[in-house]
Amino acid sequence: MAVDMSFVLSLVISLIVISMIMCFFRKNKTISTKSKNKLPPGEMGLPWIGETFEFYKAQRNNQLYEAFVQPRSRTYGNIFKTRLMGSPTVVVSGAEANKFFLSNEFKLVVSSWPSASVQLMGANCIMEKQGDHHRLVRRVIASSLNCTSHETLVSKICSSVEFHLDTNWHGRDTISLFRSTKMLTFTIVFECLLGIKVETGMFEMFERVLEGVFALPVGIPGSNFSRAKKARLQIQKMLLNIVRKKKKEMEESHEGGEDGVLLSRLVTSLTRGEITEEEVVDNAVLLVFAVHDTTSFAIVMVCRMLAHHPRCYAQLLQEHREILDSKETNEPLTLEDTKRMKYTWQVARESMRLFPPIFGSFRKATVDIDYEGFTIPKGWKVLWTTYGSHYDSQYFSDPLRFDPSRFEDPLPPYVYVPFGGGPRVCAGYQLAKLNILIFLHFMVTKYNWSLIYPDEPITVDPLPFPYHGMPIKISPKMS
Ligand code: HEM
């Protein structure tokens, strides 16, 4: 009987222990299932509006990080939810998040632009394409920007810069650096990349479209958006004529895009039936936007940093003097010379770290995404920003300090992302780099210059720009 009692007792104890263990696992399972469906922390704000006003206000003052992202990241961590322009949105920060969301383009997320941008840039441009077709269009664009075309690009960009300085800087003692670089980069994208001659009025037409790309897409007469749409139609008509003329010329001459210019490559693809006429036009429009405001902002911010840091300027100038000293008088600049502009590129990279021309961009979840213990529901937007990793002291000590020597050594992937990353990484990185280096070369070797407003505010509408257009005093250097 004693044996029976101890048997019963041990059986009861075993059952209790087993049920406790099962209870423990069941409880944990509940916790993990719950966390699987847990939304990130954060405030969704009012219906539809959410935190749109706070976002726009911070963005407009070029304080998106300091006034919007950083305070929320301090409260909630590197992933938080909000609602922007009607869409539930998750804002993510840091190199890991950049890697996860940028490299999972097409698998978990797709690029997602506001409706006004899509209508104005064109629903048929590369930004709106996915999968195989996206790859095809990228290949066509890249074919005009690959290594074999760099030498030709250098010579074309040099001619454009020299011509621009001769016609717009020569004989003047002040100029708006931002307007000047915008006009120049506009000419470079049209004439050097696309192979289309810039005609009077084209620059202004494109400017009008740009004013509407982040506007509310309502066609109230006189609004930014409706003026932008009108200008877009004019551009479409003009480009369609150019494309048809080019196609006819190429058919008559049996030319197959060998001249290397992008318009010929796009038209070749059109003739093969790979892309449509609308795609040629929309991609041409997109490229103009992709190139000229971004590159010109990058250039002006480099100049501002140089003006604020005379020792960096002296070192940069020395680099360009050495290049000039190694050449005969009036000997043209070569691709090899641009490769010697190592310090200049470090200055430009450091400047784009602090002042990225594009703050980041939106993606849309195509499935429910589990990330960092949270779920991002299908259909929600994800905003990644350059600031999240560019201002991270883990990678950049004293992150707000300007220090080009940070770029002497390579950085881990997805830390430095002014050109994005993954399948949608900027297709024009090389053109942007050559454009920045070559412009700075001619500017610093041919002109003395100084900022008129050393601490001019930067505003954002829709992309960042110096509030007064960065006027500078200039005088030619005696050679
Ligand atoms: C300093 C100048 C530039 C900066 C900072 C810049 C930045 C970027 C960024 C961040 C993206 C990725 C956007 C995203 O992930 O949603 C991008 C995409 C793109 N960029 Fe640039 N860009 C610059 C100049 C250029 C130039 C000169 C071209 C000319 C070819 C260009 C063409 C493109 C194109 C076609 C895409 C879309 C790629 C795709 O969707 O596959 N960009 N750029």
Side-chain angles (χ1 to χ4, degrees):
M1 188 66 182
V3 172
D4 279 350
M5 271 303 288
S6 76
F7 173 71
V8 170
L9 203 65
S10 63
L11 192 71
V12 169
I13 290 170
S14 305
L15 281 172
I16 290 172
V17 170
I18 289 169
S19 61
M20 276 171 69
I21 291 171
M22 282 176 68
C23 227
F24 174 76
F25 277 113
R26 204 171 303 133
K27 195 171 160 213
N28 265 357
K29 199 168 166 229
T30 325
I31 288 169
S32 84
T33 318
K34 261 193 192 157
S35 83
K36 225 179 146 217
N37 295 315
K38 198 165 86 178
L39 292 174
E43 289 293 323
M44 299 302 275
L46 294 170
W48 202 92
I49 295 167
E51 298 187 297
T52 307
F53 290 131
E54 290 90 331
F55 178 83
Y56 271 151
K57 191 171 162 217
Q59 197 201 13
R60 215 183 159 79
N61 296 330
N62 198 32
Q63 294 275 312
L64 191 63
Y65 183 67
E66 298 85 337
F68 190 85
V69 177
Q70 196 180 40
R72 286 164 181 76
S73 293
R74 280 202 184 120
T75 313
Y76 306 119
N78 273 345
I79 167 164
F80 63 86
K81 69 173 184 294
T82 178
R83 191 191 307 273
L84 300 175
M85 294 153 271
S87 301
T89 303
V90 170
V91 181
V92 294
S93 293
E96 280 307 312
N98 295 344
K99 183 173 175 190
F100 183 82
F101 290 97
L102 293 176
S103 64
N104 274 310
E105 177 79 20
F106 308 132
K107 292 180 204 147
L108 303 179
V109 291
V110 287
S111 134
S112 173
W113 287 84
S115 159
S117 315
V118 177
Q119 291 187 50
L120 294 172
M121 290 191 197
N124 297 294
C125 74
I126 185 169
M127 301 286 221
E128 291 296 297
K129 298 290 163 191
Q130 290 158 26
D132 285 347
H133 200 73
H134 168 259
R135 259 194 299 280
L136 183 136
V137 179
R138 250 192 103 93
R139 235 192 351 260
V140 179
I141 295 175
S143 66
S144 284
L145 292 168
N146 61 19
C147 300
T148 51
S149 38
H150 289 169
E151 195 72 71
T152 325
L153 266 178
V154 169
S155 128
K156 286 182 184 172
I157 296 173
C158 285
S159 306
S160 291
V161 174
E162 286 194 285
F163 181 76
H164 180 83
L165 294 180
D166 285 349
T167 45
N168 295 286
W169 287 38
H170 186 77
R172 300 187 61 180
D173 49 18
T174 57
I175 51 129
S176 155
L177 186 60
F178 189 55
R179 184 162 172 86
S180 174
T181 51
K182 269 183 88 157
M183 283 168 63
L184 174 65
T185 48
F186 184 80
T187 310
I188 288 176
V189 63
F190 260 106
E191 300 192 347
C192 306
L193 179 64
L194 284 160
I196 299 173
K197 177 120 193 57
V198 173
E199 306 288 349
T200 322
M202 273 163 80
F203 178 75
E204 288 73 18
M205 252 196 276
F206 272 88
E207 285 295 286
R208 210 160 307 135
V209 178
L210 188 69
E211 281 161 20
V213 286
F214 290 129
L216 271 186
V218 282
I220 301 168
S223 68
N224 271 359
F225 183 71
S226 79
R227 281 190 298 139
K229 268 223 110 158
K230 219 162 131 192
R232 176 59 162 90
L233 277 175
Q234 284 173 298
I235 290 171
Q236 189 157 323
K237 216 164 128 194
M238 173 195 79
L239 286 176
L240 213 51
N241 280 338
I242 295 174
V243 169
R244 287 179 183 161
K245 198 164 151 228
K246 183 78 187 174
K247 186 164 177 260
K248 196 157 166 252
E249 273 168 24
M250 284 171 70
E251 276 164 3
E252 282 167 8
S253 65
H254 304 288
E255 186 204 318
E258 297 85 4
D259 60 3
V261 298
L262 185 53
L263 182 66
S264 311
R265 311 240 171 177
L266 287 166
V267 170
T268 307
S269 228
L270 167 69
T271 315
R272 289 190 194 136
E274 293 167 346
I275 58 174
T276 62
E277 236 178 18
E278 290 75 25
E279 279 181 87
V280 180
V281 170
D282 288 1
N283 279 304
V285 173
L286 170 87
L287 283 170
V288 178
F289 291 125
V291 176
H292 97 295
D293 262 275
T294 50
T295 314
S296 43
F297 183 69
I299 293 174
V300 296
M301 293 318 286
V302 171
C303 294
R304 174 159 152 159
M305 289 296 100
L306 290 174
H308 286 191
H309 300 274
R311 264 202 241 148
C312 295
Y313 187 30
Q315 192 174 339
L316 181 140
L317 199 51
Q318 181 60 21
E319 182 167 84
H320 292 275
R321 284 206 186 112
E322 281 169 15
I323 292 170
L324 279 190
D325 289 347
S326 68
K327 300 174 83 71
E328 298 292 326
T329 318
N330 293 333
E331 189 185 333
L333 211 61
T334 61
L335 180 61
E336 216 35 54
D337 296 323
T338 64
K339 289 183 186 159
R340 292 168 63 193
M341 300 178 188
K342 287 199 170 63
Y343 184 69
T344 310
W345 190 233
Q346 280 177 27
V347 171
R349 294 185 81 200
E350 174 66 342
S351 177
M352 285 189 275
R353 179 183 73 81
L354 289 169
F355 305 101
I358 293 187
F359 67 83
S361 62
F362 288 93
R363 298 291 190 263
K364 191 165 158 183
T366 51
V367 290
D368 285 352
I369 301 171
D370 286 323
Y371 181 71
E372 297 272 306
F374 299 109
T375 297
I376 303 172
K378 179 179 173 182
W380 279 40
K381 296 218 175 170
V382 177
L383 171 64
W384 67 273
T385 73
T386 45
Y387 304 115
S389 54
H390 286 196
Y391 290 2
D392 186 344
S393 54
Q394 188 188 342
Y395 302 107
F396 303 104
S397 61
D398 193 3
L400 297 183
R401 190 168 50 91
F402 178 76
D403 178 6
S405 71
R406 299 178 196 275
F407 289 93
E408 277 166 9
D409 300 318
L411 287 161
Y414 292 95
V415 167
Y416 180 68
V417 284
F419 293 95
R424 284 202 189 271
V425 67
C426 178
Y429 171 82
Q430 274 303 332
L431 177 62
K433 182 174 175 180
L434 291 175
N435 197 344
I436 294 167
L437 294 177
I438 294 171
F439 179 81
L440 289 171
H441 173 80
F442 285 106
M443 175 170 169
V444 302
T445 55
K446 285 184 180 284
Y447 284 89
N448 298 305
W449 58 275
S450 60
L451 301 179
I452 291 181
Y453 303 116
D455 294 311
E456 184 176 347
I458 304 300
T459 188
V460 180
D461 185 21
L463 293 174
F465 65 93
Y467 189 73
H468 300 294
M470 205 173 281
I472 56 170
K473 281 198 184 120
I474 50 171
S475 62
K477 279 188 171 167
M478 299 302 154
S479 44

PDB file of all heavy atoms in Angstrom, residues 19-41:
ATOM      1  N   SER A  19       2.147  19.287 -16.756  1.00  0.00           N
ATOM      2  CA  SER A  19       1.185  20.326 -17.148  1.00  0.00           C
ATOM      3  C   SER A  19       1.800  21.724 -17.002  1.00  0.00           C
ATOM      4  O   SER A  19       1.497  22.630 -17.783  1.00  0.00           O
ATOM      5  CB  SER A  19      -0.134  20.198 -16.376  1.00  0.00           C
ATOM      6  OG  SER A  19       0.143  20.360 -15.016  1.00  0.00           O
ATOM      7  N   MET A  20       2.721  21.880 -15.999  1.00  0.00           N
ATOM      8  CA  MET A  20       3.380  23.195 -15.877  1.00  0.00           C
ATOM      9  C   MET A  20       4.247  23.487 -17.106  1.00  0.00           C
ATOM     10  O   MET A  20       4.255  24.590 -17.640  1.00  0.00           O
ATOM     11  CB  MET A  20       4.243  23.239 -14.600  1.00  0.00           C
ATOM     12  CG  MET A  20       3.441  23.609 -13.354  1.00  0.00           C
ATOM     13  SD  MET A  20       4.401  23.412 -11.858  1.00  0.00           S
ATOM     14  CE  MET A  20       5.585  24.714 -12.022  1.00  0.00           C
ATOM     15  N   ILE A  21       4.984  22.399 -17.528  1.00  0.00           N
ATOM     16  CA  ILE A  21       5.848  22.583 -18.710  1.00  0.00           C
ATOM     17  C   ILE A  21       4.991  22.928 -19.936  1.00  0.00           C
ATOM     18  O   ILE A  21       5.287  23.857 -20.696  1.00  0.00           O
ATOM     19  CB  ILE A  21       6.702  21.328 -18.968  1.00  0.00           C
ATOM     20  CG1 ILE A  21       7.736  21.178 -17.845  1.00  0.00           C
ATOM     21  CG2 ILE A  21       7.397  21.393 -20.334  1.00  0.00           C
ATOM     22  CD1 ILE A  21       8.512  19.879 -17.854  1.00  0.00           C
ATOM     23  N   MET A  22       3.853  22.148 -20.059  1.00  0.00           N
ATOM     24  CA  MET A  22       2.992  22.416 -21.234  1.00  0.00           C
ATOM     25  C   MET A  22       2.423  23.825 -21.192  1.00  0.00           C
ATOM     26  O   MET A  22       2.350  24.530 -22.189  1.00  0.00           O
ATOM     27  CB  MET A  22       1.858  21.390 -21.301  1.00  0.00           C
ATOM     28  CG  MET A  22       2.357  20.064 -21.866  1.00  0.00           C
ATOM     29  SD  MET A  22       1.097  18.816 -21.841  1.00  0.00           S
ATOM     30  CE  MET A  22      -0.033  19.436 -23.047  1.00  0.00           C
ATOM     31  N   CYS A  23       2.035  24.202 -19.951  1.00  0.00           N
ATOM     32  CA  CYS A  23       1.482  25.548 -19.762  1.00  0.00           C
ATOM     33  C   CYS A  23       2.507  26.615 -20.174  1.00  0.00           C
ATOM     34  O   CYS A  23       2.199  27.579 -20.869  1.00  0.00           O
ATOM     35  CB  CYS A  23       1.160  25.715 -18.288  1.00  0.00           C
ATOM     36  SG  CYS A  23      -0.437  26.383 -18.040  1.00  0.00           S
ATOM     37  N   PHE A  24       3.755  26.371 -19.724  1.00  0.00           N
ATOM     38  CA  PHE A  24       4.845  27.311 -20.023  1.00  0.00           C
ATOM     39  C   PHE A  24       5.014  27.491 -21.541  1.00  0.00           C
ATOM     40  O   PHE A  24       5.069  28.585 -22.083  1.00  0.00           O
ATOM     41  CB  PHE A  24       6.139  26.793 -19.372  1.00  0.00           C
ATOM     42  CG  PHE A  24       7.350  27.600 -19.730  1.00  0.00           C
ATOM     43  CD1 PHE A  24       7.580  28.852 -19.140  1.00  0.00           C
ATOM     44  CD2 PHE A  24       8.246  27.133 -20.663  1.00  0.00           C
ATOM     45  CE1 PHE A  24       8.691  29.596 -19.488  1.00  0.00           C
ATOM     46  CE2 PHE A  24       9.355  27.877 -20.998  1.00  0.00           C
ATOM     47  CZ  PHE A  24       9.582  29.112 -20.419  1.00  0.00           C
ATOM     48  N   PHE A  25       5.054  26.290 -22.227  1.00  0.00           N
ATOM     49  CA  PHE A  25       5.247  26.371 -23.691  1.00  0.00           C
ATOM     50  C   PHE A  25       4.070  27.026 -24.397  1.00  0.00           C
ATOM     51  O   PHE A  25       4.238  27.811 -25.314  1.00  0.00           O
ATOM     52  CB  PHE A  25       5.514  24.977 -24.263  1.00  0.00           C
ATOM     53  CG  PHE A  25       6.965  24.600 -24.130  1.00  0.00           C
ATOM     54  CD1 PHE A  25       7.372  23.567 -23.289  1.00  0.00           C
ATOM     55  CD2 PHE A  25       7.939  25.305 -24.816  1.00  0.00           C
ATOM     56  CE1 PHE A  25       8.711  23.229 -23.156  1.00  0.00           C
ATOM     57  CE2 PHE A  25       9.281  24.977 -24.684  1.00  0.00           C
ATOM     58  CZ  PHE A  25       9.665  23.935 -23.852  1.00  0.00           C
ATOM     59  N   ARG A  26       2.810  26.639 -23.882  1.00  0.00           N
ATOM     60  CA  ARG A  26       1.626  27.215 -24.515  1.00  0.00           C
ATOM     61  C   ARG A  26       1.639  28.747 -24.366  1.00  0.00           C
ATOM     62  O   ARG A  26       1.373  29.487 -25.273  1.00  0.00           O
ATOM     63  CB  ARG A  26       0.356  26.611 -23.899  1.00  0.00           C
ATOM     64  CG  ARG A  26      -0.812  26.707 -24.870  1.00  0.00           C
ATOM     65  CD  ARG A  26      -2.038  25.942 -24.415  1.00  0.00           C
ATOM     66  NE  ARG A  26      -1.798  24.543 -24.183  1.00  0.00           N
ATOM     67  CZ  ARG A  26      -2.211  23.903 -23.083  1.00  0.00           C
ATOM     68  NH1 ARG A  26      -2.857  24.520 -22.136  1.00  0.00           N
ATOM     69  NH2 ARG A  26      -1.996  22.620 -22.957  1.00  0.00           N
ATOM     70  N   LYS A  27       2.030  29.171 -23.119  1.00  0.00           N
ATOM     71  CA  LYS A  27       2.054  30.609 -22.839  1.00  0.00           C
ATOM     72  C   LYS A  27       3.057  31.307 -23.772  1.00  0.00           C
ATOM     73  O   LYS A  27       2.767  32.317 -24.406  1.00  0.00           O
ATOM     74  CB  LYS A  27       2.460  30.823 -21.380  1.00  0.00           C
ATOM     75  CG  LYS A  27       2.166  32.210 -20.904  1.00  0.00           C
ATOM     76  CD  LYS A  27       2.373  32.309 -19.412  1.00  0.00           C
ATOM     77  CE  LYS A  27       2.547  33.761 -19.029  1.00  0.00           C
ATOM     78  NZ  LYS A  27       3.436  33.927 -17.915  1.00  0.00           N
ATOM     79  N   ASN A  28       4.238  30.668 -23.864  1.00  0.00           N
ATOM     80  CA  ASN A  28       5.266  31.269 -24.728  1.00  0.00           C
ATOM     81  C   ASN A  28       4.824  31.321 -26.178  1.00  0.00           C
ATOM     82  O   ASN A  28       5.118  32.250 -26.911  1.00  0.00           O
ATOM     83  CB  ASN A  28       6.556  30.464 -24.633  1.00  0.00           C
ATOM     84  CG  ASN A  28       7.454  31.086 -23.605  1.00  0.00           C
ATOM     85  OD1 ASN A  28       7.097  32.119 -23.055  1.00  0.00           O
ATOM     86  ND2 ASN A  28       8.578  30.468 -23.334  1.00  0.00           N
ATOM     87  N   LYS A  29       4.094  30.207 -26.574  1.00  0.00           N
ATOM     88  CA  LYS A  29       3.622  30.169 -27.961  1.00  0.00           C
ATOM     89  C   LYS A  29       2.661  31.343 -28.192  1.00  0.00           C
ATOM     90  O   LYS A  29       2.725  32.037 -29.198  1.00  0.00           O
ATOM     91  CB  LYS A  29       2.919  28.838 -28.227  1.00  0.00           C
ATOM     92  CG  LYS A  29       2.811  28.536 -29.689  1.00  0.00           C
ATOM     93  CD  LYS A  29       2.393  27.116 -29.952  1.00  0.00           C
ATOM     94  CE  LYS A  29       1.989  27.006 -31.388  1.00  0.00           C
ATOM     95  NZ  LYS A  29       0.732  26.358 -31.548  1.00  0.00           N
ATOM     96  N   THR A  30       1.773  31.562 -27.176  1.00  0.00           N
ATOM     97  CA  THR A  30       0.822  32.660 -27.318  1.00  0.00           C
ATOM     98  C   THR A  30       1.582  33.975 -27.469  1.00  0.00           C
ATOM     99  O   THR A  30       1.269  34.787 -28.327  1.00  0.00           O
ATOM    100  CB  THR A  30      -0.095  32.760 -26.067  1.00  0.00           C
ATOM    101  OG1 THR A  30      -0.320  31.473 -25.604  1.00  0.00           O
ATOM    102  CG2 THR A  30      -1.344  33.497 -26.371  1.00  0.00           C
ATOM    103  N   ILE A  31       2.631  34.118 -26.625  1.00  0.00           N
ATOM    104  CA  ILE A  31       3.385  35.365 -26.689  1.00  0.00           C
ATOM    105  C   ILE A  31       4.002  35.533 -28.070  1.00  0.00           C
ATOM    106  O   ILE A  31       3.868  36.561 -28.718  1.00  0.00           O
ATOM    107  CB  ILE A  31       4.492  35.395 -25.605  1.00  0.00           C
ATOM    108  CG1 ILE A  31       3.845  35.580 -24.243  1.00  0.00           C
ATOM    109  CG2 ILE A  31       5.458  36.550 -25.860  1.00  0.00           C
ATOM    110  CD1 ILE A  31       4.777  35.367 -23.091  1.00  0.00           C
ATOM    111  N   SER A  32       4.613  34.436 -28.582  1.00  0.00           N
ATOM    112  CA  SER A  32       5.290  34.624 -29.874  1.00  0.00           C
ATOM    113  C   SER A  32       4.288  34.836 -31.005  1.00  0.00           C
ATOM    114  O   SER A  32       4.537  35.596 -31.916  1.00  0.00           O
ATOM    115  CB  SER A  32       6.253  33.478 -30.164  1.00  0.00           C
ATOM    116  OG  SER A  32       5.562  32.427 -30.732  1.00  0.00           O
ATOM    117  N   THR A  33       3.082  34.172 -30.919  1.00  0.00           N
ATOM    118  CA  THR A  33       2.103  34.411 -31.983  1.00  0.00           C
ATOM    119  C   THR A  33       1.635  35.863 -31.905  1.00  0.00           C
ATOM    120  O   THR A  33       1.485  36.537 -32.898  1.00  0.00           O
ATOM    121  CB  THR A  33       0.865  33.488 -31.809  1.00  0.00           C
ATOM    122  OG1 THR A  33       1.341  32.240 -31.446  1.00  0.00           O
ATOM    123  CG2 THR A  33       0.024  33.450 -33.028  1.00  0.00           C
ATOM    124  N   LYS A  34       1.442  36.307 -30.609  1.00  0.00           N
ATOM    125  CA  LYS A  34       0.983  37.678 -30.444  1.00  0.00           C
ATOM    126  C   LYS A  34       2.010  38.641 -31.025  1.00  0.00           C
ATOM    127  O   LYS A  34       1.686  39.532 -31.777  1.00  0.00           O
ATOM    128  CB  LYS A  34       0.816  37.979 -28.960  1.00  0.00           C
ATOM    129  CG  LYS A  34      -0.613  37.877 -28.502  1.00  0.00           C
ATOM    130  CD  LYS A  34      -0.739  38.490 -27.136  1.00  0.00           C
ATOM    131  CE  LYS A  34      -2.079  38.146 -26.522  1.00  0.00           C
ATOM    132  NZ  LYS A  34      -2.020  38.241 -25.071  1.00  0.00           N
ATOM    133  N   SER A  35       3.326  38.395 -30.690  1.00  0.00           N
ATOM    134  CA  SER A  35       4.338  39.345 -31.164  1.00  0.00           C
ATOM    135  C   SER A  35       4.458  39.277 -32.683  1.00  0.00           C
ATOM    136  O   SER A  35       4.823  40.238 -33.328  1.00  0.00           O
ATOM    137  CB  SER A  35       5.686  39.084 -30.506  1.00  0.00           C
ATOM    138  OG  SER A  35       6.351  38.063 -31.175  1.00  0.00           O
ATOM    139  N   LYS A  36       4.088  38.087 -33.239  1.00  0.00           N
ATOM    140  CA  LYS A  36       4.152  37.959 -34.688  1.00  0.00           C
ATOM    141  C   LYS A  36       3.189  38.945 -35.357  1.00  0.00           C
ATOM    142  O   LYS A  36       3.432  39.439 -36.439  1.00  0.00           O
ATOM    143  CB  LYS A  36       3.789  36.536 -35.077  1.00  0.00           C
ATOM    144  CG  LYS A  36       4.738  35.973 -36.108  1.00  0.00           C
ATOM    145  CD  LYS A  36       4.429  34.588 -36.490  1.00  0.00           C
ATOM    146  CE  LYS A  36       4.785  34.447 -37.952  1.00  0.00           C
ATOM    147  NZ  LYS A  36       3.892  33.626 -38.668  1.00  0.00           N
ATOM    148  N   ASN A  37       2.047  39.186 -34.667  1.00  0.00           N
ATOM    149  CA  ASN A  37       1.079  40.096 -35.272  1.00  0.00           C
ATOM    150  C   ASN A  37       1.111  41.472 -34.628  1.00  0.00           C
ATOM    151  O   ASN A  37       0.162  42.231 -34.726  1.00  0.00           O
ATOM    152  CB  ASN A  37      -0.324  39.507 -35.144  1.00  0.00           C
ATOM    153  CG  ASN A  37      -0.404  38.232 -35.952  1.00  0.00           C
ATOM    154  OD1 ASN A  37       0.062  38.189 -37.085  1.00  0.00           O
ATOM    155  ND2 ASN A  37      -0.937  37.182 -35.360  1.00  0.00           N
ATOM    156  N   LYS A  38       2.218  41.749 -33.960  1.00  0.00           N
ATOM    157  CA  LYS A  38       2.289  43.011 -33.227  1.00  0.00           C
ATOM    158  C   LYS A  38       2.725  44.135 -34.165  1.00  0.00           C
ATOM    159  O   LYS A  38       3.766  44.021 -34.827  1.00  0.00           O
ATOM    160  CB  LYS A  38       3.294  42.847 -32.084  1.00  0.00           C
ATOM    161  CG  LYS A  38       3.161  43.895 -31.020  1.00  0.00           C
ATOM    162  CD  LYS A  38       3.893  43.486 -29.757  1.00  0.00           C
ATOM    163  CE  LYS A  38       5.339  43.899 -29.870  1.00  0.00           C
ATOM    164  NZ  LYS A  38       6.114  43.597 -28.681  1.00  0.00           N
ATOM    165  N   LEU A  39       1.941  45.209 -34.182  1.00  0.00           N
ATOM    166  CA  LEU A  39       2.344  46.359 -35.006  1.00  0.00           C
ATOM    167  C   LEU A  39       3.464  47.103 -34.294  1.00  0.00           C
ATOM    168  O   LEU A  39       3.538  47.083 -33.071  1.00  0.00           O
ATOM    169  CB  LEU A  39       1.157  47.297 -35.186  1.00  0.00           C
ATOM    170  CG  LEU A  39       0.001  46.786 -36.036  1.00  0.00           C
ATOM    171  CD1 LEU A  39      -1.154  47.768 -35.983  1.00  0.00           C
ATOM    172  CD2 LEU A  39       0.451  46.591 -37.484  1.00  0.00           C
ATOM    173  N   PRO A  40       4.326  47.781 -35.037  1.00  0.00           N
ATOM    174  CA  PRO A  40       5.359  48.587 -34.373  1.00  0.00           C
ATOM    175  C   PRO A  40       4.704  49.664 -33.524  1.00  0.00           C
ATOM    176  O   PRO A  40       3.570  50.080 -33.805  1.00  0.00           O
ATOM    177  CB  PRO A  40       6.132  49.208 -35.553  1.00  0.00           C
ATOM    178  CG  PRO A  40       5.761  48.413 -36.746  1.00  0.00           C
ATOM    179  CD  PRO A  40       4.399  47.862 -36.501  1.00  0.00           C
ATOM    180  N   PRO A  41       5.410  50.194 -32.492  1.00  0.00           N
ATOM    181  CA  PRO A  41       4.826  51.260 -31.680  1.00  0.00           C
ATOM    182  C   PRO A  41       4.754  52.557 -32.484  1.00  0.00           C
ATOM    183  O   PRO A  41       5.385  52.674 -33.535  1.00  0.00           O
ATOM    184  CB  PRO A  41       5.817  51.393 -30.523  1.00  0.00           C
ATOM    185  CG  PRO A  41       7.110  50.890 -31.078  1.00  0.00           C
ATOM    186  CD  PRO A  41       6.773  49.840 -32.088  1.00  0.00           C
TER     187      PRO A  41
END
